[in-house]
Amino acid sequence: MYAFLLIAGFSLLAAWVLFFFANRDLLLRLWREPTLLRPVLIVESDDWGPGPEADAQALQRIAAILARVRDREHRPAVMTLGVVLGKPDGAAILADNCGHYHRRGLGEARYAPIVGAMRQGCEMGVFALQRHGLEHCWPESLLVRARQDGVLRAWLADPEARSEALPSALQSRWVDAGTLPSRPLPEAEVRRAVMDEAEVFLTLFGICPPVAVPNTFVWDDAVERAWAQSGVRCVVTCGRQYQARGADGALAASARRIVNGESGQSGVRYLVRDAYFEPIRGHRAEQVWEAVARRTALGRPTLLETHRESFIDADHGDTALAELERALAGVVERHPDVCFISTERLADAYADRQHALWQRSMRARSVTFLRRLLAEAGLSRPLKLCGLYFVLPMVVRLLATVTPSAAGRH
Ligand SMILES: [Zn+2]
């Protein structure tokens, strides 16, 4: 009996050693990922750009809601605007037989109310602008596809058509999806496009946002280098880097997993946006509360992804606004210590390990680390196989019990 227990004990120990050895890279990255001391919530919305005047009114209503909800330091909630600075000028492109690209720019007088609403929100401290492309496609790819695709030409012929209705693969700006599977773009052209975008930002808003959001989360090292050269310090990711579209137009297998605070080319810092709030797709405040609670337990910020399409829809816009307010107010009620901050400021905090947002208690960090292991989808099976999936929750409970809620404040 004694021998049996001894063998079983050694086998279990060996399985655990094997688990840690086999997954050492990921474990090290999860340990190194800083742990937040308090909940952080940022609403990240994409695709704002040329559109009808009603979009400006939607932005104003969003700004008013954000200004009403405050954290304990009396800072308003922040929504980042992933700004698309232009759209294809369909009529001109069709008149040119899809031979050359023509653009409608956000700087045109007709879009002045939208730009005005964006500026006003920035002055109120409720909006923060982020780069999301000079258009939500790569112009040459659009032309190549339009020459052979009647549906795409119909999209170009519709003056009200929005980028959200483009074929998914074409919405990936930083890859050549003119033919599939996609191919990387020439680095010189990427550099020029990034510089052009930065110039328009400077002209329209007097600033060049240091945060970039890759369209559909497809980008490569060349794009990152170009961003860094033009002042980008932070890239918002979904926790994965996609680099291509497959033959069917779908996202090709992800190149790598990304953890908050990790660095890419030329020192750009990654943040992970992996919570979703699309009222037009049925998401409600309750899901936001759940997302914030879950990420807070993992010492991570909640970057809540949403898109303009939820707020500009004639039938669902009011619901979206009401749910946004209910979600934010509910988070403040459930987490009175929540921190509202822009993505740019959060990225700066990740660059500064002495920042007040970070947990320093080794015991509290250990609890968070173990929770991260248990929450990591890719580790679920190996954790179960070696038995740690059942042992670690007990360790977490034990450590959390002897760690008072004030852990880390010493
Ligand atoms: Zn987008």
Side-chain angles (χ1 to χ4, degrees), residues 132-296:
H132 200 46
L134 203 39
E135 48 267 300
H136 211 300
C137 60
W138 185 253
E140 275 306 313
S141 305
L142 180 92
L143 289 180
V144 167
R145 288 281 287 278
R147 285 175 201 133
Q148 44 191 302
D149 185 340
V151 177
L152 194 51
R153 285 198 296 278
W155 181 88
L156 287 168
D158 177 3
E160 307 298 321
R162 291 183 181 267
S163 59
E164 290 90 329
L166 278 173
S168 171
L170 275 186
Q171 291 187 37
S172 295
R173 173 169 172 79
W174 300 114
V175 78
D176 179 2
T179 54
L180 295 171
S182 68
R183 291 164 300 169
L185 296 166
E187 184 155 0
E189 289 182 33
V190 167
R191 235 183 353 252
R192 192 166 57 240
V194 167
M195 297 312 277
D196 288 349
E197 183 184 353
E199 262 177 44
V200 178
F201 258 115
L202 272 175
T203 307
L204 269 184
F205 298 102
I207 58 147
C208 204
V211 182
V213 185
N215 311 68
T216 74
F217 294 121
V218 175
W219 82 102
D220 61 16
D221 290 352
V223 179
E224 239 174 61
R225 280 192 292 273
W227 275 334
Q229 273 176 19
S230 87
V232 167
R233 301 197 306 274
C234 171
V235 176
V236 175
T237 77
C238 61
R240 299 267 169 197
Q241 180 182 23
Y242 296 95
Q243 296 195 335
R245 292 279 183 168
D248 58 355
L251 293 168
S254 85
R256 62 191 167 114
R257 168 96 162 81
I258 290 172
V259 168
N260 279 307
E262 288 184 330
S263 293
Q265 298 288 308
S266 310
V268 298
R269 199 164 293 277
Y270 300 124
L271 287 182
V272 176
R273 180 214 277 184
D274 61 356
Y276 304 94
F277 177 62
E278 300 288 6
I280 199 170
R281 303 195 194 291
H283 295 174
R284 293 294 174 260
E286 285 76 7
Q287 282 146 293
V288 174
W289 303 335
E290 194 184 313
V292 173
R294 186 169 164 74
R295 280 156 192 79
T296 299

Side-chain angles (χ1 to χ4, degrees), residues 28-86:
L28 200 58
R29 292 166 66 200
L30 292 176
W31 171 253
R32 284 180 178 155
E33 180 185 355
T35 298
L36 283 168
L37 255 181
R38 54 190 285 201
V40 167
L41 174 62
I42 306 170
V43 186
E44 289 246 331
S45 70
D46 286 344
D47 299 349
W48 296 96
E53 199 172 333
D55 287 13
Q57 286 145 19
L59 284 167
Q60 286 164 345
R61 294 176 72 192
I62 291 171
I65 289 171
L66 298 168
R68 283 201 288 274
V69 187
R70 305 265 165 172
D71 66 12
R72 71 180 182 198
E73 284 88 8
H74 209 61
R75 289 178 298 228
V78 177
M79 180 187 266
T80 64
L81 304 181
V83 180
V84 183
L85 292 166

Side-chain angles (χ1 to χ4, degrees), residues 303-359:
L303 271 63
L304 202 60
E305 175 170 311
T306 189
H307 292 83
R308 74 170 173 183
E309 66 173 346
S310 274
F311 300 94
I312 57 174
D313 185 84
D315 298 325
H316 301 95
D318 287 347
T319 307
L321 290 167
E323 282 303 304
L324 176 66
E325 182 152 25
R326 202 164 72 85
L328 293 171
V331 168
V332 174
E333 192 185 319
R334 286 163 178 76
H335 306 275
D337 57 341
V338 68
C339 171
F340 293 139
I341 187 175
S342 70
T343 305
E344 176 188 353
R345 294 282 163 250
L346 181 62
D348 289 343
Y350 272 96
D352 174 11
R353 297 298 163 105
Q354 301 309 311
H355 198 282
L357 275 175
W358 303 126
Q359 174 65 270

